[in-house]
Amino acid sequence: MRDPAENGQLALLLEVAGTPKPGNVDRERDYGDLRFEHFLAGAVGARTGLRAAADGASIGTAFESSIEGMSGQSGGNTQFGALLVTVPLVRAAADGRLTPDGVTETVEATTVEDACAFYEAFEHVGVAVDDPPEGLDSLDVRRGAAATDALRERGATLYDVMALSADRDGVAAEWCSGFERSFEAAGWLLDDEGPIHRRASRAFLRLLAAEPDTFVITRNGETAAEEATRRARAVLDGEADADALAEEFVARDTVWHRIELPISQAKPRYD
């Protein structure tokens, strides 16, 4: 039987192997310098941090370790947002608390030192982020480890940091809502039929079709986000073909999962 760390790594591997996922790298499509192999290597590299989470390490420490390992391949940042979701889930599962309430208790128990480790993770990868909310320049994640003094002075835990962006950020919203969408998508995968790469693709499209994605808005603008949602709905409604849409986006170089993944707009269902 696999343990939580192995399940976490397998989830990263299966997610990127899902195909077709229009606008994202999958096992049949690469985007220039962002390739399928980078995601595979990143998931393998993240294993040390996932193992730490399963063995009882704090979420911040395990997350930074995961990012450091992930970043050791030539693609750079491939799964920053995914790991920010996966590490708490692995930690909760190791404690026998893999439920919305259990994961909520796990993230609410994070500390200031967890927040510091989260910021230090930005030292390992290149990221692109929006400006911080007004009055919070000292907590700009672009400062990386240089922001740790401000975190300690403020007494901000990692959960507090997520709460600051929960109204505009997919991953932060997961942290502050009992990982609602993550558990919902897991249910879709379990209830669906067929090979896992097709089930993952359908879950991907359902999440994309549900609402305009914050990362797409930040990276490509509101018009692109609305197009992504509209066209994902068309695929789900049988009005368009997912493979054809994926090929079109490759031709247009429309990619919504980039190496420089902004954590303030990350999305748990893509990366």
Side-chain angles (χ1 to χ4, degrees), residues 15-26 29 31 200-201 204 246 270:
E15 190 279 331
V16 70
T19 186
K21 295 188 301 177
N24 278 247
V25 168
D26 60 37
R29 297 167 186 86
Y31 282 84
S201 171
F204 172 94
Y270 286 13

Side-chain angles (χ1 to χ4, degrees), residues 47-200:
R47 172 65 179 273
T48 300
L50 295 172
R51 168 57 56 202
D55 288 344
S58 68
I59 288 178
T61 297
F63 176 73
E64 184 190 2
S65 178
S66 293
I67 296 303
E68 182 177 17
M70 174 209 71
S71 67
Q73 39 72 36
S74 61
N77 178 6
T78 53
Q79 292 158 320
F80 197 109
L83 284 165
L84 191 53
V85 172
T86 303
V87 168
L89 293 171
V90 168
R91 186 73 183 84
D95 291 336
R97 300 192 298 175
L98 190 56
T99 65
D101 288 343
V103 183
T104 295
E105 292 171 2
T106 298
V107 295
E108 287 182 345
T110 56
T111 66
V112 174
E113 294 308 309
D114 286 315
C116 291
F118 168 68
Y119 274 70
E120 288 163 0
F122 284 80
E123 302 287 338
H124 299 301
V125 290
V127 297
V129 298
D130 281 344
D131 292 332
E134 185 176 354
L136 294 176
D137 289 346
S138 63
L139 298 185
D140 189 338
V141 294
R142 290 171 292 195
R143 300 185 63 212
T148 56
D149 286 344
L151 289 165
R152 292 188 176 103
E153 290 173 5
R154 188 183 179 94
T157 69
L158 183 48
Y159 183 82
D160 293 335
V161 170
M162 294 296 107
L164 291 171
S165 299
D167 62 340
R168 57 189 177 86
D169 163 52
V171 169
E174 286 294 281
W175 271 59
C176 298
S177 66
F179 289 66
E180 180 178 10
R181 300 195 84 195
S182 297
F183 280 101
E184 182 178 31
W188 295 340
L189 288 168
L190 290 171
D191 293 340
D192 203 353
E193 297 179 350
I196 187 62
H197 70 279
R198 291 297 185 182
R199 284 187 276 162

Side-chain angles (χ1 to χ4, degrees), residues 208 211-218 220-231 256:
L208 183 60
E211 59 189 47
D213 189 87
T214 56
F215 175 60
V216 182
I217 291 172
T218 299
N220 304 97
E222 291 187 6
T223 299
E226 291 170 358
E227 179 191 359
T229 295
R230 182 178 67 255
R231 300 192 73 177
W256 295 321

